[in-house]
Amino acid sequence: MSAPTLREQKKKQTRQVISDAATGLFLRHGFDHVTIAEVAAEAGVSKMTVTNYFPRKEDLVLDLGEDFVSGPARAVAARAPGLSPVEALRDDYLAAVRRRDPVIGFAPEPFARMLTESPVLLARLREFHELREAAVAGVLAEEAGVRSPAEDITPYAVAAQLGGALRVLFGRLVERVLEGADVEEIGAAHEVEAERVFDLLR
């Protein structure tokens, strides 16, 4: 793999500066009370630069949204022969728990509180959950040679169950973060709950 060019490094740095500036403002004032213009001023860039890197204001907070949406579908698609979608997702999710991955909900308490106190961010999260389920359904339907629920509802029903489990786990993890427990304590307790959820799915 070739080293990133100077232009690529500069773009990455600019994106990080904007993200850091936005996060600081959102944590101090609340997501819904900060404008894109204020983020731009804090980061020392133009409003257009902010929107070039982050087309939606919510993306400034949920910048891991692409991984959130596509991760489970990738895990299911890349599973070993003979491994069920449930087992593949279980292994992928538990690995994320053990590395305390922010994509599944590990975050500092102030960040989690900001997220849950904003109707706009909560609405965007619901959209991410729906897109994630649809991505898993797409993988399962393609594997089964199914083009729509009218042809065979099975892949879509399976994806709904997997998506529902992930939604419950995400909500529970955020609840634990908001309770203010130590991250290692949170992780250990959440791993037990995740095992329980996947046992139920099996």
Side-chain angles (χ1 to χ4, degrees), residues 22-23 26-27 30-33 56-63 68 110-129 170:
T23 299
F26 294 153
L27 289 175
F31 176 82
D32 297 327
H33 301 294
R56 297 173 61 159
K57 183 183 169 187
E58 303 95 287
D59 297 335
L60 287 159
V61 175
L62 303 171
D63 57 340
F68 184 95
F111 185 92
R113 191 163 301 283
M114 173 191 67
L115 191 66
T116 57
E117 290 179 350
S118 167
V120 174
L121 291 175
L122 289 175
R124 184 63 167 151
L125 266 177
R126 285 193 292 272
E127 184 179 350
F128 281 164
H129 282 295
F170 181 84

PDB file of all heavy atoms in Angstrom, residues 22-23 26-27 30-33 56-63 68 110-129 170:
ATOM      1  N   ALA A  22     -16.104  20.836  16.137  1.00  0.00           N
ATOM      2  CA  ALA A  22     -17.537  20.591  16.269  1.00  0.00           C
ATOM      3  C   ALA A  22     -17.856  19.852  17.560  1.00  0.00           C
ATOM      4  O   ALA A  22     -18.783  20.230  18.289  1.00  0.00           O
ATOM      5  CB  ALA A  22     -18.039  19.787  15.074  1.00  0.00           C
ATOM      6  N   THR A  23     -17.084  18.820  17.862  1.00  0.00           N
ATOM      7  CA  THR A  23     -17.336  18.035  19.076  1.00  0.00           C
ATOM      8  C   THR A  23     -17.234  18.907  20.318  1.00  0.00           C
ATOM      9  O   THR A  23     -18.078  18.834  21.221  1.00  0.00           O
ATOM     10  CB  THR A  23     -16.347  16.865  19.170  1.00  0.00           C
ATOM     11  OG1 THR A  23     -16.528  16.005  18.036  1.00  0.00           O
ATOM     12  CG2 THR A  23     -16.578  16.052  20.443  1.00  0.00           C
ATOM     13  N   PHE A  26     -20.328  21.156  20.448  1.00  0.00           N
ATOM     14  CA  PHE A  26     -21.545  20.388  20.745  1.00  0.00           C
ATOM     15  C   PHE A  26     -21.590  19.976  22.213  1.00  0.00           C
ATOM     16  O   PHE A  26     -22.652  19.999  22.838  1.00  0.00           O
ATOM     17  CB  PHE A  26     -21.621  19.143  19.864  1.00  0.00           C
ATOM     18  CG  PHE A  26     -21.782  19.429  18.391  1.00  0.00           C
ATOM     19  CD1 PHE A  26     -21.324  18.523  17.448  1.00  0.00           C
ATOM     20  CD2 PHE A  26     -22.395  20.585  17.951  1.00  0.00           C
ATOM     21  CE1 PHE A  26     -21.471  18.763  16.091  1.00  0.00           C
ATOM     22  CE2 PHE A  26     -22.545  20.855  16.596  1.00  0.00           C
ATOM     23  CZ  PHE A  26     -22.080  19.935  15.659  1.00  0.00           C
ATOM     24  N   LEU A  27     -20.442  19.579  22.755  1.00  0.00           N
ATOM     25  CA  LEU A  27     -20.412  19.150  24.156  1.00  0.00           C
ATOM     26  C   LEU A  27     -20.662  20.329  25.100  1.00  0.00           C
ATOM     27  O   LEU A  27     -21.275  20.169  26.158  1.00  0.00           O
ATOM     28  CB  LEU A  27     -19.067  18.492  24.477  1.00  0.00           C
ATOM     29  CG  LEU A  27     -18.836  17.112  23.853  1.00  0.00           C
ATOM     30  CD1 LEU A  27     -17.422  16.627  24.134  1.00  0.00           C
ATOM     31  CD2 LEU A  27     -19.861  16.102  24.366  1.00  0.00           C
ATOM     32  N   GLY A  30     -24.545  21.821  23.331  1.00  0.00           N
ATOM     33  CA  GLY A  30     -25.605  20.943  22.838  1.00  0.00           C
ATOM     34  C   GLY A  30     -25.664  20.979  21.326  1.00  0.00           C
ATOM     35  O   GLY A  30     -25.540  22.048  20.710  1.00  0.00           O
ATOM     36  N   PHE A  31     -25.867  19.829  20.731  1.00  0.00           N
ATOM     37  CA  PHE A  31     -25.852  19.714  19.275  1.00  0.00           C
ATOM     38  C   PHE A  31     -26.844  20.652  18.606  1.00  0.00           C
ATOM     39  O   PHE A  31     -26.531  21.327  17.621  1.00  0.00           O
ATOM     40  CB  PHE A  31     -26.158  18.262  18.873  1.00  0.00           C
ATOM     41  CG  PHE A  31     -26.269  18.056  17.392  1.00  0.00           C
ATOM     42  CD1 PHE A  31     -25.135  17.883  16.618  1.00  0.00           C
ATOM     43  CD2 PHE A  31     -27.514  18.031  16.761  1.00  0.00           C
ATOM     44  CE1 PHE A  31     -25.230  17.694  15.243  1.00  0.00           C
ATOM     45  CE2 PHE A  31     -27.614  17.842  15.390  1.00  0.00           C
ATOM     46  CZ  PHE A  31     -26.476  17.678  14.637  1.00  0.00           C
ATOM     47  N   ASP A  32     -28.054  20.712  19.121  1.00  0.00           N
ATOM     48  CA  ASP A  32     -29.117  21.474  18.470  1.00  0.00           C
ATOM     49  C   ASP A  32     -28.935  22.982  18.566  1.00  0.00           C
ATOM     50  O   ASP A  32     -29.645  23.736  17.898  1.00  0.00           O
ATOM     51  CB  ASP A  32     -30.479  21.076  19.058  1.00  0.00           C
ATOM     52  CG  ASP A  32     -30.813  19.619  18.801  1.00  0.00           C
ATOM     53  OD1 ASP A  32     -30.407  19.097  17.743  1.00  0.00           O
ATOM     54  OD2 ASP A  32     -31.470  18.987  19.653  1.00  0.00           O
ATOM     55  N   HIS A  33     -27.986  23.430  19.404  1.00  0.00           N
ATOM     56  CA  HIS A  33     -27.815  24.877  19.626  1.00  0.00           C
ATOM     57  C   HIS A  33     -26.572  25.429  18.937  1.00  0.00           C
ATOM     58  O   HIS A  33     -26.225  26.594  19.139  1.00  0.00           O
ATOM     59  CB  HIS A  33     -27.748  25.162  21.118  1.00  0.00           C
ATOM     60  CG  HIS A  33     -28.957  24.710  21.876  1.00  0.00           C
ATOM     61  ND1 HIS A  33     -30.204  25.264  21.692  1.00  0.00           N
ATOM     62  CD2 HIS A  33     -29.128  23.721  22.792  1.00  0.00           C
ATOM     63  CE1 HIS A  33     -31.086  24.661  22.471  1.00  0.00           C
ATOM     64  NE2 HIS A  33     -30.458  23.714  23.144  1.00  0.00           N
ATOM     65  N   ARG A  56     -23.991  16.612   6.099  1.00  0.00           N
ATOM     66  CA  ARG A  56     -25.078  16.849   7.055  1.00  0.00           C
ATOM     67  C   ARG A  56     -24.474  17.186   8.410  1.00  0.00           C
ATOM     68  O   ARG A  56     -23.435  16.638   8.794  1.00  0.00           O
ATOM     69  CB  ARG A  56     -25.975  15.611   7.178  1.00  0.00           C
ATOM     70  CG  ARG A  56     -26.684  15.262   5.882  1.00  0.00           C
ATOM     71  CD  ARG A  56     -27.439  13.940   5.961  1.00  0.00           C
ATOM     72  NE  ARG A  56     -28.486  13.960   6.976  1.00  0.00           N
ATOM     73  CZ  ARG A  56     -29.519  13.128   6.970  1.00  0.00           C
ATOM     74  NH1 ARG A  56     -29.638  12.218   6.015  1.00  0.00           N
ATOM     75  NH2 ARG A  56     -30.437  13.178   7.909  1.00  0.00           N
ATOM     76  N   LYS A  57     -25.131  18.067   9.111  1.00  0.00           N
ATOM     77  CA  LYS A  57     -24.639  18.461  10.429  1.00  0.00           C
ATOM     78  C   LYS A  57     -24.473  17.251  11.342  1.00  0.00           C
ATOM     79  O   LYS A  57     -23.499  17.155  12.100  1.00  0.00           O
ATOM     80  CB  LYS A  57     -25.603  19.477  11.059  1.00  0.00           C
ATOM     81  CG  LYS A  57     -25.151  20.020  12.410  1.00  0.00           C
ATOM     82  CD  LYS A  57     -26.208  20.961  12.974  1.00  0.00           C
ATOM     83  CE  LYS A  57     -25.923  21.317  14.426  1.00  0.00           C
ATOM     84  NZ  LYS A  57     -27.023  22.091  15.040  1.00  0.00           N
ATOM     85  N   GLU A  58     -25.405  16.294  11.256  1.00  0.00           N
ATOM     86  CA  GLU A  58     -25.327  15.091  12.092  1.00  0.00           C
ATOM     87  C   GLU A  58     -24.041  14.305  11.839  1.00  0.00           C
ATOM     88  O   GLU A  58     -23.541  13.612  12.724  1.00  0.00           O
ATOM     89  CB  GLU A  58     -26.525  14.172  11.839  1.00  0.00           C
ATOM     90  CG  GLU A  58     -27.870  14.811  12.060  1.00  0.00           C
ATOM     91  CD  GLU A  58     -28.431  15.350  10.754  1.00  0.00           C
ATOM     92  OE1 GLU A  58     -27.911  16.392  10.277  1.00  0.00           O
ATOM     93  OE2 GLU A  58     -29.371  14.760  10.217  1.00  0.00           O
ATOM     94  N   ASP A  59     -23.499  14.406  10.610  1.00  0.00           N
ATOM     95  CA  ASP A  59     -22.283  13.661  10.278  1.00  0.00           C
ATOM     96  C   ASP A  59     -21.084  14.133  11.090  1.00  0.00           C
ATOM     97  O   ASP A  59     -20.108  13.393  11.249  1.00  0.00           O
ATOM     98  CB  ASP A  59     -21.969  13.799   8.785  1.00  0.00           C
ATOM     99  CG  ASP A  59     -23.049  13.190   7.908  1.00  0.00           C
ATOM    100  OD1 ASP A  59     -23.761  12.291   8.387  1.00  0.00           O
ATOM    101  OD2 ASP A  59     -23.183  13.610   6.749  1.00  0.00           O
ATOM    102  N   LEU A  60     -21.155  15.362  11.600  1.00  0.00           N
ATOM    103  CA  LEU A  60     -20.078  15.875  12.443  1.00  0.00           C
ATOM    104  C   LEU A  60     -19.982  15.089  13.753  1.00  0.00           C
ATOM    105  O   LEU A  60     -18.916  15.011  14.363  1.00  0.00           O
ATOM    106  CB  LEU A  60     -20.298  17.362  12.746  1.00  0.00           C
ATOM    107  CG  LEU A  60     -20.037  18.315  11.586  1.00  0.00           C
ATOM    108  CD1 LEU A  60     -20.758  19.644  11.826  1.00  0.00           C
ATOM    109  CD2 LEU A  60     -18.535  18.545  11.422  1.00  0.00           C
ATOM    110  N   VAL A  61     -21.095  14.527  14.184  1.00  0.00           N
ATOM    111  CA  VAL A  61     -21.117  13.712  15.407  1.00  0.00           C
ATOM    112  C   VAL A  61     -21.014  12.236  15.065  1.00  0.00           C
ATOM    113  O   VAL A  61     -20.227  11.493  15.652  1.00  0.00           O
ATOM    114  CB  VAL A  61     -22.419  13.971  16.203  1.00  0.00           C
ATOM    115  CG1 VAL A  61     -22.510  13.032  17.406  1.00  0.00           C
ATOM    116  CG2 VAL A  61     -22.483  15.416  16.651  1.00  0.00           C
ATOM    117  N   LEU A  62     -21.813  11.825  14.087  1.00  0.00           N
ATOM    118  CA  LEU A  62     -21.907  10.403  13.738  1.00  0.00           C
ATOM    119  C   LEU A  62     -21.009  10.103  12.545  1.00  0.00           C
ATOM    120  O   LEU A  62     -21.428   9.548  11.535  1.00  0.00           O
ATOM    121  CB  LEU A  62     -23.368  10.062  13.431  1.00  0.00           C
ATOM    122  CG  LEU A  62     -24.343  10.373  14.570  1.00  0.00           C
ATOM    123  CD1 LEU A  62     -25.785  10.219  14.110  1.00  0.00           C
ATOM    124  CD2 LEU A  62     -24.071   9.488  15.771  1.00  0.00           C
ATOM    125  N   ASP A  63     -19.729  10.469  12.673  1.00  0.00           N
ATOM    126  CA  ASP A  63     -18.815  10.300  11.547  1.00  0.00           C
ATOM    127  C   ASP A  63     -18.382   8.846  11.355  1.00  0.00           C
ATOM    128  O   ASP A  63     -17.676   8.525  10.404  1.00  0.00           O
ATOM    129  CB  ASP A  63     -17.604  11.216  11.676  1.00  0.00           C
ATOM    130  CG  ASP A  63     -16.831  11.019  12.962  1.00  0.00           C
ATOM    131  OD1 ASP A  63     -17.398  10.466  13.917  1.00  0.00           O
ATOM    132  OD2 ASP A  63     -15.661  11.430  13.018  1.00  0.00           O
ATOM    133  N   PHE A  68     -20.943   1.859  11.001  1.00  0.00           N
ATOM    134  CA  PHE A  68     -22.111   1.407  11.762  1.00  0.00           C
ATOM    135  C   PHE A  68     -23.097   0.704  10.836  1.00  0.00           C
ATOM    136  O   PHE A  68     -23.617  -0.369  11.151  1.00  0.00           O
ATOM    137  CB  PHE A  68     -22.770   2.620  12.424  1.00  0.00           C
ATOM    138  CG  PHE A  68     -23.928   2.301  13.322  1.00  0.00           C
ATOM    139  CD1 PHE A  68     -23.755   2.147  14.684  1.00  0.00           C
ATOM    140  CD2 PHE A  68     -25.214   2.175  12.804  1.00  0.00           C
ATOM    141  CE1 PHE A  68     -24.836   1.859  15.519  1.00  0.00           C
ATOM    142  CE2 PHE A  68     -26.300   1.888  13.630  1.00  0.00           C
ATOM    143  CZ  PHE A  68     -26.104   1.731  14.993  1.00  0.00           C
ATOM    144  N   PRO A 110     -20.190  12.223  28.473  1.00  0.00           N
ATOM    145  CA  PRO A 110     -20.743  13.478  27.924  1.00  0.00           C
ATOM    146  C   PRO A 110     -21.182  13.344  26.466  1.00  0.00           C
ATOM    147  O   PRO A 110     -22.174  13.941  26.052  1.00  0.00           O
ATOM    148  CB  PRO A 110     -19.578  14.464  28.067  1.00  0.00           C
ATOM    149  CG  PRO A 110     -18.732  13.903  29.157  1.00  0.00           C
ATOM    150  CD  PRO A 110     -18.826  12.416  28.990  1.00  0.00           C
ATOM    151  N   PHE A 111     -20.441  12.558  25.697  1.00  0.00           N
ATOM    152  CA  PHE A 111     -20.798  12.359  24.292  1.00  0.00           C
ATOM    153  C   PHE A 111     -22.108  11.587  24.178  1.00  0.00           C
ATOM    154  O   PHE A 111     -22.999  11.955  23.405  1.00  0.00           O
ATOM    155  CB  PHE A 111     -19.674  11.608  23.575  1.00  0.00           C
ATOM    156  CG  PHE A 111     -19.880  11.460  22.098  1.00  0.00           C
ATOM    157  CD1 PHE A 111     -19.376  12.401  21.216  1.00  0.00           C
ATOM    158  CD2 PHE A 111     -20.575  10.374  21.574  1.00  0.00           C
ATOM    159  CE1 PHE A 111     -19.562  12.276  19.840  1.00  0.00           C
ATOM    160  CE2 PHE A 111     -20.775  10.234  20.211  1.00  0.00           C
ATOM    161  CZ  PHE A 111     -20.265  11.181  19.345  1.00  0.00           C
ATOM    162  N   ALA A 112     -22.242  10.520  24.966  1.00  0.00           N
ATOM    163  CA  ALA A 112     -23.476   9.727  24.946  1.00  0.00           C
ATOM    164  C   ALA A 112     -24.669  10.569  25.374  1.00  0.00           C
ATOM    165  O   ALA A 112     -25.761  10.459  24.818  1.00  0.00           O
ATOM    166  CB  ALA A 112     -23.316   8.512  25.850  1.00  0.00           C
ATOM    167  N   ARG A 113     -24.463  11.436  26.353  1.00  0.00           N
ATOM    168  CA  ARG A 113     -25.557  12.292  26.827  1.00  0.00           C
ATOM    169  C   ARG A 113     -25.969  13.287  25.749  1.00  0.00           C
ATOM    170  O   ARG A 113     -27.166  13.507  25.516  1.00  0.00           O
ATOM    171  CB  ARG A 113     -25.137  13.023  28.112  1.00  0.00           C
ATOM    172  CG  ARG A 113     -26.297  13.718  28.809  1.00  0.00           C
ATOM    173  CD  ARG A 113     -25.934  14.068  30.237  1.00  0.00           C
ATOM    174  NE  ARG A 113     -25.575  12.903  31.023  1.00  0.00           N
ATOM    175  CZ  ARG A 113     -26.444  12.031  31.519  1.00  0.00           C
ATOM    176  NH1 ARG A 113     -27.743  12.194  31.294  1.00  0.00           N
ATOM    177  NH2 ARG A 113     -26.022  10.993  32.213  1.00  0.00           N
ATOM    178  N   MET A 114     -24.992  13.880  25.085  1.00  0.00           N
ATOM    179  CA  MET A 114     -25.295  14.797  23.995  1.00  0.00           C
ATOM    180  C   MET A 114     -26.111  14.095  22.913  1.00  0.00           C
ATOM    181  O   MET A 114     -27.090  14.634  22.386  1.00  0.00           O
ATOM    182  CB  MET A 114     -23.999  15.331  23.383  1.00  0.00           C
ATOM    183  CG  MET A 114     -24.196  16.160  22.129  1.00  0.00           C
ATOM    184  SD  MET A 114     -22.640  16.495  21.268  1.00  0.00           S
ATOM    185  CE  MET A 114     -22.174  14.858  20.708  1.00  0.00           C
ATOM    186  N   LEU A 115     -25.721  12.867  22.605  1.00  0.00           N
ATOM    187  CA  LEU A 115     -26.400  12.086  21.577  1.00  0.00           C
ATOM    188  C   LEU A 115     -27.857  11.837  21.944  1.00  0.00           C
ATOM    189  O   LEU A 115     -28.763  12.042  21.124  1.00  0.00           O
ATOM    190  CB  LEU A 115     -25.659  10.759  21.418  1.00  0.00           C
ATOM    191  CG  LEU A 115     -26.014   9.864  20.242  1.00  0.00           C
ATOM    192  CD1 LEU A 115     -25.643  10.525  18.935  1.00  0.00           C
ATOM    193  CD2 LEU A 115     -25.295   8.527  20.388  1.00  0.00           C
ATOM    194  N   THR A 116     -28.090  11.412  23.167  1.00  0.00           N
ATOM    195  CA  THR A 116     -29.444  11.033  23.571  1.00  0.00           C
ATOM    196  C   THR A 116     -30.342  12.228  23.853  1.00  0.00           C
ATOM    197  O   THR A 116     -31.561  12.086  23.910  1.00  0.00           O
ATOM    198  CB  THR A 116     -29.398  10.131  24.817  1.00  0.00           C
ATOM    199  OG1 THR A 116     -28.710  10.806  25.882  1.00  0.00           O
ATOM    200  CG2 THR A 116     -28.667   8.830  24.517  1.00  0.00           C
ATOM    201  N   GLU A 117     -29.756  13.411  24.011  1.00  0.00           N
ATOM    202  CA  GLU A 117     -30.557  14.599  24.298  1.00  0.00           C
ATOM    203  C   GLU A 117     -30.948  15.376  23.039  1.00  0.00           C
ATOM    204  O   GLU A 117     -31.666  16.373  23.126  1.00  0.00           O
ATOM    205  CB  GLU A 117     -29.811  15.511  25.271  1.00  0.00           C
ATOM    206  CG  GLU A 117     -29.725  14.927  26.689  1.00  0.00           C
ATOM    207  CD  GLU A 117     -28.955  15.809  27.656  1.00  0.00           C
ATOM    208  OE1 GLU A 117     -28.316  16.794  27.185  1.00  0.00           O
ATOM    209  OE2 GLU A 117     -28.973  15.518  28.866  1.00  0.00           O
ATOM    210  N   SER A 118     -30.482  14.921  21.884  1.00  0.00           N
ATOM    211  CA  SER A 118     -30.791  15.622  20.641  1.00  0.00           C
ATOM    212  C   SER A 118     -31.790  14.828  19.805  1.00  0.00           C
ATOM    213  O   SER A 118     -31.470  13.735  19.311  1.00  0.00           O
ATOM    214  CB  SER A 118     -29.522  15.848  19.815  1.00  0.00           C
ATOM    215  OG  SER A 118     -29.851  16.255  18.503  1.00  0.00           O
ATOM    216  N   PRO A 119     -32.996  15.348  19.591  1.00  0.00           N
ATOM    217  CA  PRO A 119     -33.967  14.659  18.725  1.00  0.00           C
ATOM    218  C   PRO A 119     -33.434  14.442  17.308  1.00  0.00           C
ATOM    219  O   PRO A 119     -33.738  13.422  16.687  1.00  0.00           O
ATOM    220  CB  PRO A 119     -35.171  15.599  18.727  1.00  0.00           C
ATOM    221  CG  PRO A 119     -35.045  16.376  20.003  1.00  0.00           C
ATOM    222  CD  PRO A 119     -33.575  16.551  20.214  1.00  0.00           C
ATOM    223  N   VAL A 120     -32.645  15.384  16.820  1.00  0.00           N
ATOM    224  CA  VAL A 120     -32.105  15.273  15.463  1.00  0.00           C
ATOM    225  C   VAL A 120     -31.140  14.094  15.365  1.00  0.00           C
ATOM    226  O   VAL A 120     -31.191  13.289  14.426  1.00  0.00           O
ATOM    227  CB  VAL A 120     -31.403  16.581  15.052  1.00  0.00           C
ATOM    228  CG1 VAL A 120     -30.719  16.417  13.702  1.00  0.00           C
ATOM    229  CG2 VAL A 120     -32.394  17.732  14.996  1.00  0.00           C
ATOM    230  N   LEU A 121     -30.253  13.972  16.351  1.00  0.00           N
ATOM    231  CA  LEU A 121     -29.293  12.873  16.335  1.00  0.00           C
ATOM    232  C   LEU A 121     -29.980  11.525  16.550  1.00  0.00           C
ATOM    233  O   LEU A 121     -29.607  10.528  15.930  1.00  0.00           O
ATOM    234  CB  LEU A 121     -28.215  13.100  17.401  1.00  0.00           C
ATOM    235  CG  LEU A 121     -27.254  14.252  17.128  1.00  0.00           C
ATOM    236  CD1 LEU A 121     -26.313  14.447  18.311  1.00  0.00           C
ATOM    237  CD2 LEU A 121     -26.457  14.007  15.848  1.00  0.00           C
ATOM    238  N   LEU A 122     -30.973  11.497  17.409  1.00  0.00           N
ATOM    239  CA  LEU A 122     -31.707  10.250  17.633  1.00  0.00           C
ATOM    240  C   LEU A 122     -32.432   9.808  16.370  1.00  0.00           C
ATOM    241  O   LEU A 122     -32.488   8.616  16.056  1.00  0.00           O
ATOM    242  CB  LEU A 122     -32.684  10.413  18.789  1.00  0.00           C
ATOM    243  CG  LEU A 122     -32.060  10.520  20.183  1.00  0.00           C
ATOM    244  CD1 LEU A 122     -33.132  10.802  21.224  1.00  0.00           C
ATOM    245  CD2 LEU A 122     -31.286   9.246  20.541  1.00  0.00           C
ATOM    246  N   ALA A 123     -32.972  10.769  15.631  1.00  0.00           N
ATOM    247  CA  ALA A 123     -33.646  10.438  14.369  1.00  0.00           C
ATOM    248  C   ALA A 123     -32.649   9.883  13.354  1.00  0.00           C
ATOM    249  O   ALA A 123     -32.943   8.927  12.626  1.00  0.00           O
ATOM    250  CB  ALA A 123     -34.335  11.674  13.804  1.00  0.00           C
ATOM    251  N   ARG A 124     -31.471  10.479  13.306  1.00  0.00           N
ATOM    252  CA  ARG A 124     -30.435   9.995  12.390  1.00  0.00           C
ATOM    253  C   ARG A 124     -29.981   8.591  12.791  1.00  0.00           C
ATOM    254  O   ARG A 124     -29.741   7.735  11.929  1.00  0.00           O
ATOM    255  CB  ARG A 124     -29.257  10.966  12.388  1.00  0.00           C
ATOM    256  CG  ARG A 124     -28.153  10.609  11.400  1.00  0.00           C
ATOM    257  CD  ARG A 124     -28.616  10.647   9.980  1.00  0.00           C
ATOM    258  NE  ARG A 124     -27.497  10.614   9.052  1.00  0.00           N
ATOM    259  CZ  ARG A 124     -27.563  10.108   7.832  1.00  0.00           C
ATOM    260  NH1 ARG A 124     -28.703   9.606   7.387  1.00  0.00           N
ATOM    261  NH2 ARG A 124     -26.511  10.107   7.041  1.00  0.00           N
ATOM    262  N   LEU A 125     -29.878   8.338  14.079  1.00  0.00           N
ATOM    263  CA  LEU A 125     -29.512   7.002  14.552  1.00  0.00           C
ATOM    264  C   LEU A 125     -30.548   5.961  14.140  1.00  0.00           C
ATOM    265  O   LEU A 125     -30.197   4.848  13.734  1.00  0.00           O
ATOM    266  CB  LEU A 125     -29.365   7.001  16.075  1.00  0.00           C
ATOM    267  CG  LEU A 125     -27.968   7.211  16.643  1.00  0.00           C
ATOM    268  CD1 LEU A 125     -28.029   7.261  18.163  1.00  0.00           C
ATOM    269  CD2 LEU A 125     -27.017   6.115  16.183  1.00  0.00           C
ATOM    270  N   ARG A 126     -31.824   6.321  14.250  1.00  0.00           N
ATOM    271  CA  ARG A 126     -32.884   5.397  13.817  1.00  0.00           C
ATOM    272  C   ARG A 126     -32.733   5.075  12.331  1.00  0.00           C
ATOM    273  O   ARG A 126     -32.925   3.931  11.907  1.00  0.00           O
ATOM    274  CB  ARG A 126     -34.263   5.987  14.108  1.00  0.00           C
ATOM    275  CG  ARG A 126     -34.661   5.936  15.581  1.00  0.00           C
ATOM    276  CD  ARG A 126     -36.131   6.243  15.785  1.00  0.00           C
ATOM    277  NE  ARG A 126     -36.454   7.626  15.467  1.00  0.00           N
ATOM    278  CZ  ARG A 126     -36.374   8.633  16.328  1.00  0.00           C
ATOM    279  NH1 ARG A 126     -35.980   8.415  17.573  1.00  0.00           N
ATOM    280  NH2 ARG A 126     -36.701   9.864  15.960  1.00  0.00           N
ATOM    281  N   GLU A 127     -32.395   6.084  11.578  1.00  0.00           N
ATOM    282  CA  GLU A 127     -32.177   5.872  10.139  1.00  0.00           C
ATOM    283  C   GLU A 127     -31.001   4.925   9.914  1.00  0.00           C
ATOM    284  O   GLU A 127     -31.068   4.023   9.065  1.00  0.00           O
ATOM    285  CB  GLU A 127     -31.914   7.222   9.456  1.00  0.00           C
ATOM    286  CG  GLU A 127     -31.775   7.136   7.954  1.00  0.00           C
ATOM    287  CD  GLU A 127     -31.541   8.498   7.316  1.00  0.00           C
ATOM    288  OE1 GLU A 127     -31.670   9.520   8.012  1.00  0.00           O
ATOM    289  OE2 GLU A 127     -31.212   8.517   6.113  1.00  0.00           O
ATOM    290  N   PHE A 128     -29.929   5.096  10.679  1.00  0.00           N
ATOM    291  CA  PHE A 128     -28.774   4.209  10.562  1.00  0.00           C
ATOM    292  C   PHE A 128     -29.163   2.763  10.885  1.00  0.00           C
ATOM    293  O   PHE A 128     -28.708   1.830  10.215  1.00  0.00           O
ATOM    294  CB  PHE A 128     -27.659   4.656  11.503  1.00  0.00           C
ATOM    295  CG  PHE A 128     -26.844   5.817  11.004  1.00  0.00           C
ATOM    296  CD1 PHE A 128     -26.041   6.535  11.877  1.00  0.00           C
ATOM    297  CD2 PHE A 128     -26.861   6.195   9.677  1.00  0.00           C
ATOM    298  CE1 PHE A 128     -25.275   7.592  11.432  1.00  0.00           C
ATOM    299  CE2 PHE A 128     -26.108   7.260   9.217  1.00  0.00           C
ATOM    300  CZ  PHE A 128     -25.307   7.959  10.096  1.00  0.00           C
ATOM    301  N   HIS A 129     -29.960   2.574  11.931  1.00  0.00           N
ATOM    302  CA  HIS A 129     -30.399   1.227  12.285  1.00  0.00           C
ATOM    303  C   HIS A 129     -31.171   0.587  11.127  1.00  0.00           C
ATOM    304  O   HIS A 129     -30.984  -0.600  10.817  1.00  0.00           O
ATOM    305  CB  HIS A 129     -31.280   1.264  13.536  1.00  0.00           C
ATOM    306  CG  HIS A 129     -30.532   1.417  14.821  1.00  0.00           C
ATOM    307  ND1 HIS A 129     -29.662   0.466  15.299  1.00  0.00           N
ATOM    308  CD2 HIS A 129     -30.532   2.412  15.744  1.00  0.00           C
ATOM    309  CE1 HIS A 129     -29.154   0.856  16.454  1.00  0.00           C
ATOM    310  NE2 HIS A 129     -29.662   2.041  16.747  1.00  0.00           N
ATOM    311  N   PHE A 170     -27.218  -1.872  21.270  1.00  0.00           N
ATOM    312  CA  PHE A 170     -26.714  -0.496  21.203  1.00  0.00           C
ATOM    313  C   PHE A 170     -27.357   0.366  22.287  1.00  0.00           C
ATOM    314  O   PHE A 170     -26.672   1.092  23.021  1.00  0.00           O
ATOM    315  CB  PHE A 170     -26.989   0.103  19.824  1.00  0.00           C
ATOM    316  CG  PHE A 170     -26.471   1.507  19.673  1.00  0.00           C
ATOM    317  CD1 PHE A 170     -25.156   1.732  19.321  1.00  0.00           C
ATOM    318  CD2 PHE A 170     -27.296   2.601  19.898  1.00  0.00           C
ATOM    319  CE1 PHE A 170     -24.665   3.036  19.197  1.00  0.00           C
ATOM    320  CE2 PHE A 170     -26.824   3.900  19.782  1.00  0.00           C
ATOM    321  CZ  PHE A 170     -25.496   4.113  19.426  1.00  0.00           C
TER     322      PHE A 170
END
